[in-house]
Amino acid sequence: LLCAVLELDLRSRATLEARALVLRVEILLRGLEPVALSVAAQRKSRSAGMGTRLLSLVAALIGEVDAAEDASRSEESVNANANASTTEAAEKRERASAERAGALDEIVRSEEVYRDAMVSMEDEVAIPLREAGVVSEAEWRVLFSHLGPVRRVACEFMSRLTEAMSSEGDAGAAVAQVFLDMIGYLSVFSPYVNALGEAQAMLAQLSSREAFVAWRQSVGASMPRGQGPFSGLEKPFQRMLKYPLLLARVQKNTDEEHESYAVIAEAASAVQAKANDINEKKRQAEQRARLLEISQQTWINDKRAVELVVPSRRVVEEGKGVLVWGGVEEAVEWVACNDVVFFVRGGGGAVKQRRRVLAVLEWKDVRVEEVYGWPEVELEDVVRDVVYAIGFDGEEECERFVASASASERA
């Protein structure tokens, strides 16, 4: 057994089998060492020395085997880490690919649902309502005048997306190109969205009409539970806001080195810009509508303040505060528009308590000492002249009024 061990090329064969054999020899020699030393002491033979040398040799071989095993384990650890990194990267790519495919699939599936909703809205609600005669033509136009173009774009968009998904090459690039090709047509969302508030207000107004309520209940009875004839009114606006989110998912899960990344990023950016533009136009339309509403509720002398309404003017911010002018504090409401600010006093239904405009001033020429409650505006001087705000023909007439008015009238 010892000869066999010595003949092994353990320096080049650091295997588990060799290691096991060396350990067996070590155990054997350690057991024989006391015997060998005892015999050497009694017989003065060379057995003890030979046993000691063999033990040293085996110990040296064990050291070499250990070193080889450590190197092997180190290499295996490096390989394992490399394999783990490679596996992790592969799994990450696989997840991104699955997420990307899911996003593309959701674009098409949700577009189909949206297209069907627009077709149903026009064929099953808008046209039958017009033919039923329960609303006037003007009322119908408030509700549905912009539906036709939105439906046609939805049908065309769905057709192109279906073709893109079945085309050769990368589906992500094909879908992105559809968005770029259709970006101009998405402008049809803007007039629809801008008129949405007015349509909803009209719908609320019609809900008090018995004939309309009966028709709505009759049509709604054949629709899926939880859906009504007009539940799809907001879908175009919701759909336009959904497009950037879906494309962002596709872009996020497309490697920047991928050949399709550039066109996908371009489409995502273009659609986001279009959505922002439509949203901003909707906000401005709401601000103009709010100005019209205020003008109908506010008076200048004995007339409604419709002269405040001009095409380019819209309400930016409103608030309540205290207007200080001539040393007198006046509780007011202030309405800040994009070009002027006006102050309103009063309220209620009686003539004496009507909301009245106190002053209309340009932003650049605000002559107010201070307005408490009006944020981020520095005000100077005292308002001494509200001639055009309260309807006087000129300063002389205003002065004659002030001279002859009582203290309460002047206030």
Side-chain angles (χ1 to χ4, degrees), residues 114-154:
Y114 165 70
R115 186 272 316 271
D116 292 347
M118 292 300 97
V119 171
S120 175
M121 176 71 74
E122 186 170 43
D123 293 348
E124 300 177 18
V125 180
I127 294 176
L129 177 62
R130 196 176 204 175
E131 295 174 348
V134 296
V135 298
S136 67
E137 181 65 18
E139 292 168 335
W140 186 91
R141 288 187 176 279
V142 171
L143 291 171
F144 297 117
S145 61
H146 302 291
L147 178 60
V150 169
R151 171 196 171 154
R152 289 190 289 274
V153 169

Side-chain angles (χ1 to χ4, degrees), residues 10-256:
L10 295 178
R11 292 173 180 80
S12 60
R13 191 185 175 206
T15 64
L16 291 177
E17 292 82 358
R19 168 70 169 159
L21 183 57
V22 169
L23 287 176
R24 287 169 61 191
V25 172
E26 180 188 18
I27 293 171
L28 175 63
L29 291 179
R30 287 187 185 280
L32 291 177
E33 182 179 13
V35 177
L37 293 175
S38 177
V39 171
Q42 294 177 12
R43 301 183 181 182
K44 307 295 183 182
S45 68
R46 299 171 58 190
S47 300
M50 182 180 70
T52 301
R53 287 196 299 274
L54 284 174
L55 187 60
S56 300
L57 176 60
V58 171
L61 293 176
I62 290 174
E64 294 186 12
V65 171
D66 287 342
E69 284 185 338
D70 290 341
S72 177
R73 279 194 297 269
S74 177
E75 183 178 357
E76 289 175 358
S77 176
V78 172
N79 292 336
N81 291 336
N83 291 336
S85 299
T86 303
T87 302
E88 183 179 355
E91 291 176 350
K92 185 176 180 180
R93 287 194 299 270
E94 186 176 348
R95 286 194 301 271
S97 178
E99 178 69 19
R100 185 176 189 267
L104 291 170
D105 183 59
E106 185 178 350
I107 288 175
V108 177
R109 286 189 296 102
S110 58
E111 186 66 26
E112 184 177 13
V113 172
Y114 165 70
R115 186 272 316 271
D116 292 347
M118 292 300 97
V119 171
S120 175
M121 176 71 74
E122 186 170 43
D123 293 348
E124 300 177 18
V125 180
I127 294 176
L129 177 62
R130 196 176 204 175
E131 295 174 348
V134 296
V135 298
S136 67
E137 181 65 18
E139 292 168 335
W140 186 91
R141 288 187 176 279
V142 171
L143 291 171
F144 297 117
S145 61
H146 302 291
L147 178 60
V150 169
R151 171 196 171 154
R152 289 190 289 274
V153 169
C155 292
E156 177 65 20
F157 202 44
M158 182 62 206
S159 175
R160 295 194 186 191
L161 285 176
T162 302
E163 183 179 348
M165 289 295 286
S166 60
S167 63
E168 296 182 0
D170 179 49
V175 168
Q177 190 60 52
V178 170
F179 275 95
L180 290 174
D181 293 341
M182 293 289 293
I183 196 71
Y185 294 98
L186 298 183
S187 296
V188 300
F189 283 101
S190 191
Y192 184 96
V193 169
N194 292 347
L196 182 58
E198 189 178 358
Q200 292 171 328
M202 175 59 69
L203 189 60
Q205 180 180 336
L206 292 172
S207 297
S208 62
R209 188 180 301 174
E210 292 184 4
F212 176 80
V213 173
W215 179 88
R216 184 175 61 184
Q217 292 175 346
S218 175
V219 173
S222 60
M223 293 186 169
R225 187 173 182 178
Q227 295 185 14
F230 300 94
S231 59
L233 272 179
E234 294 186 358
K235 287 188 181 295
F237 182 45
Q238 296 168 347
R239 188 59 184 168
M240 187 62 227
L241 297 181
K242 187 74 172 178
Y243 287 144
L245 301 178
L246 293 172
L247 280 175
R249 281 180 56 195
V250 178
Q251 181 182 359
K252 178 182 177 181
N253 292 283
T254 301
D255 192 284
E256 294 185 6

